[in-house]
Amino acid sequence: MAYQTVNPFNNQLIKEYANHSDADIEVALRKADALYHSSWSKGDIEQRLPILYRLADLLENQQEELAKIASREMGKLIEQSRSEVKICAQIARYYADNAKQFLAPVKYETELGEAWVEHHPIGVIMAVEPWNFPYYQLMRVLAPNLAAGNPVICKHASIVPQCAETFAQLVREAGAPEGAWTNLFISSDQVSAIIADPRVQGTALTGSEKAGSAVAAQAAKHIKKSTLELGGNDVFIVLDDADLEKAVETGVQARLANAGQVCTAAKRFIIHQDIADQFLRKFTDAFKQVKLGDPLDESTTLGPLSSKEALDTLSQQVSEAVQNGAKLHFGGKPANSEGNFFEPTILTHITRDNPAYFEEFFGPVAQIYVVNNDDEAVRLANDSHYGLGGAIFSRNIQRAKQMASRIETGMVYINWLTDTAAELPFGGVKRSGFGRELSDLGIKEFVNQKLVVVRQ
């Protein structure tokens, strides 16, 4: 597996990175394990939290430089890259502020006597992370585990090695000891060997269903805890009483942000029949206004896909969808440019026997479905292999709340797109994975919740 920085705007190779050897891995494991068995991991949390505060400051002070690195390496619009760096700082500061409270002992009432649950680190965690949010995905793992005392070894995606190295350097600069966060350029086989190593006690993966299945299987084989955040086929439901202008504006953002390369992006637009024609007309008009271009240009509204491979995959999916009966309403092909650009695309008339019905389209492709009522919308929403996020637009909040409770996903937003915040749990069900990141739930995924009882 070659780790390379290739600018997706023009497909020019910027730099290649050498893979780490098995000997490098052994050194990393030894350092991480030694740190876990030290007073830094096992001792007072107060000694670890200042690192997160310093990391937040570094991220904010270097926001522009970090944003440009991400935009050049994976094609994210510069303003979206800035936002990613900003939320990373927020996550670091959030756990610095709240981790002590989250990990405080919890008392339990029992006839057996005095009882409480303590929270302790469990050991080295192996993280496997994707390219689409090259800093944020790392911070979701680092911040809670550093606060808890778990050292982390990370294999980042092979197309964002500069972001991987830059993040590791920031963590060191913030004062983290050797072994707290180690970036490795390694293969899937080497990841598998690390998971099997007795010094590793858990695995966290964000990525594809295929990668998640392999990592979870290896973790289960060795009886180790894992968390998975995988794909999504999120619904964006617009009911007949919705604020149509707001729904269209938010819907375009929800589908095209990060060039549509978001697990929680709106992918299936489920529209009530009474407003379907209006919505589609306005939605199409908005897609027509999109400006493709250099992600470092502030006026660009749609950047390139992350790689030539991503472009080829999406092109094939759209082609197969149309061959199987979908109607190409707008767009539908790679843009005529040297970069990895795909036109903003709208597909309609997708039937359940069309492969597109169950697939995740990781790019600027929206599917439109029309339903007659709320029950039909819920049935369609739940008829999916995935269950990550979703959005409902309605002026009747009670109606929207009732629908939200019926939708089989880990997250539902009403009158907004599926979003993220340090203080809110993030994760899904079905083939979207298991476990939660962020919030108080995220920090407890990889701790020993140890019961202590004093018999009276």
Side-chain angles (χ1 to χ4, degrees):
M1 181 184 296
Y3 282 78
Q4 297 179 325
T5 297
V6 176
N7 187 339
F9 172 60
N10 53 26
N11 280 318
Q12 289 183 0
L13 175 65
I14 297 172
K15 186 178 177 181
E16 289 188 293
Y17 294 74
N19 282 36
H20 287 100
S21 67
D22 290 345
D24 295 327
I25 292 171
E26 176 56 31
V27 170
L29 281 166
R30 202 180 304 133
K31 286 180 180 177
D33 187 56
L35 184 64
Y36 169 65
H37 287 99
S38 74
S39 59
W40 185 85
S41 276
K42 301 291 183 74
D44 195 326
I45 192 174
E46 295 285 3
Q47 66 187 317
R48 299 188 293 273
L49 299 182
I51 298 167
L52 292 174
Y53 283 122
R54 288 194 292 269
L55 183 55
D57 290 342
L58 287 169
L59 287 159
E60 288 170 345
N61 293 337
Q62 299 177 37
Q63 183 190 49
E64 193 64 20
E65 179 189 343
L66 294 168
K68 285 178 179 176
I69 290 171
S71 291
R72 288 194 195 99
E73 194 160 53
M74 57 74 57
K76 191 189 303 286
L77 297 186
I78 186 62
E79 185 54 39
Q80 292 173 14
S81 292
R82 293 182 190 120
S83 296
E84 180 175 343
V85 176
K86 182 179 178 182
I87 193 171
C88 286
Q90 290 170 347
I91 292 168
R93 198 165 276 123
Y94 173 78
Y95 280 109
D97 287 341
N98 295 288
K100 187 173 181 179
Q101 172 196 334
F102 292 156
L103 299 179
V106 178
K107 289 189 174 183
Y108 282 77
E109 293 297 322
T110 173
E111 294 178 356
L112 294 180
E114 183 185 4
W116 65 93
V117 165
E118 299 174 352
H119 303 93
H120 299 281
I122 61 170
V124 181
I125 307 300
M126 178 71 223
V128 180
E129 300 301 322
W131 46 263
N132 58 336
F133 290 89
Y135 302 128
Y136 162 76
Q137 304 285 8
L138 304 188
M139 184 59 78
R140 288 199 322 204
V141 179
L142 169 78
N145 282 294
L146 188 143
N150 293 320
V152 180
I153 292 173
C154 181
K155 178 222 170 294
H156 210 343
S158 61
I159 65 171
V160 287
Q162 188 179 2
C163 287
E165 278 198 341
T166 302
F167 187 86
Q169 185 179 336
L170 285 169
V171 176
R172 285 193 299 273
E173 215 177 312
E178 274 197 290
W181 178 270
T182 308
N183 171 66
L184 292 176
F185 297 138
I186 53 178
S187 68
S188 298
D189 287 344
Q190 288 172 309
V191 169
S192 186
I194 292 172
I195 295 170
D197 192 288
R199 290 168 289 189
V200 172
Q201 293 302 314
T203 66
L205 177 139
T206 298
S208 69
E209 192 178 328
K210 181 181 177 183
S213 176
V215 164
Q218 180 71 342
K221 179 180 176 182
H222 295 278
I223 316 177
K224 295 177 183 180
K225 173 72 182 286
S226 63
T227 59
L228 300 179
E229 196 272 278
L230 308 178
N233 199 4
D234 285 13
V235 291
F236 191 97
I237 300 172
V238 184
L239 301 178
D240 53 335
D241 62 352
D243 178 336
L244 201 56
E245 298 297 331
K246 182 182 178 184
V248 169
E249 181 184 355
T250 310
V252 171
Q253 181 183 349
R255 179 61 283 199
L256 299 186
N258 209 29
Q261 301 167 119
V262 186
C263 51
T264 55
K267 291 160 187 153
R268 295 181 295 152
F269 289 78
I270 300 176
I271 317 299
H272 192 284
Q273 63 173 359
D274 291 354
I275 56 162
D277 289 343
Q278 281 180 278
F279 179 88
L280 185 56
R281 184 171 64 253
K282 292 176 181 290
F283 194 69
T284 307
D285 287 344
F287 267 36
K288 289 177 181 176
Q289 304 306 313
V290 170
K291 180 188 173 187
L292 281 67
D294 186 345
L296 293 173
D297 183 339
E298 303 277 357
S299 68
T300 298
T301 55
L302 185 64
L305 297 184
S306 63
S307 66
K308 180 69 164 59
E309 181 185 8
L311 180 65
D312 292 343
T313 298
L314 188 65
S315 302
Q316 181 68 23
Q317 282 182 295
V318 171
S319 177
E320 287 182 1
V322 173
Q323 288 169 22
N324 283 277
K327 181 181 176 184
L328 189 59
H329 177 80
F330 183 76
K333 62 183 186 300
N336 185 21
S337 72
E338 60 182 346
N340 305 317
F341 289 91
F342 197 87
E343 297 174 341
T345 296
I346 300 171
L347 296 173
T348 62
H349 297 83
I350 297 171
T351 54
R352 197 175 188 276
D353 58 353
N354 191 324
Y357 185 91
F358 287 107
E359 288 179 349
E360 178 182 31
F361 282 63
F362 222 57
V365 179
Q367 300 181 7
I368 304 290
Y369 298 85
V370 180
V371 295
N372 298 308
N373 53 53
D374 291 12
D375 288 343
E376 197 176 326
V378 170
R379 279 197 302 273
L380 181 53
N382 291 341
D383 191 17
S384 172
H385 300 320
Y386 297 105
L388 192 52
I392 302 168
F393 276 72
S394 171
R395 285 191 173 94
N396 185 335
I397 301 302
Q398 191 57 38
R399 178 187 182 189
K401 284 180 178 179
Q402 290 173 350
M403 179 176 282
S405 295
R406 298 170 64 193
I407 293 176
E408 297 166 351
T409 60
M411 304 171 281
V412 180
Y413 282 72
I414 295 171
N415 292 330
W416 187 238
L417 49 78
T418 307
D419 210 340
T420 186
E423 65 275 12
L424 298 177
F426 189 102
V429 295
K430 301 183 184 179
R431 293 189 195 173
S432 291
F434 47 75
R436 293 294 180 268
E437 292 184 310
L438 303 177
S439 77
D440 60 321
L441 301 185
I443 200 169
K444 292 184 178 178
E445 288 286 357
F446 293 108
V447 295
N448 176 12
Q449 301 183 46
K450 181 196 291 183
L451 173 67
V452 181
V453 180
V454 179
R455 182 70 169 162
Q456 301 289 5

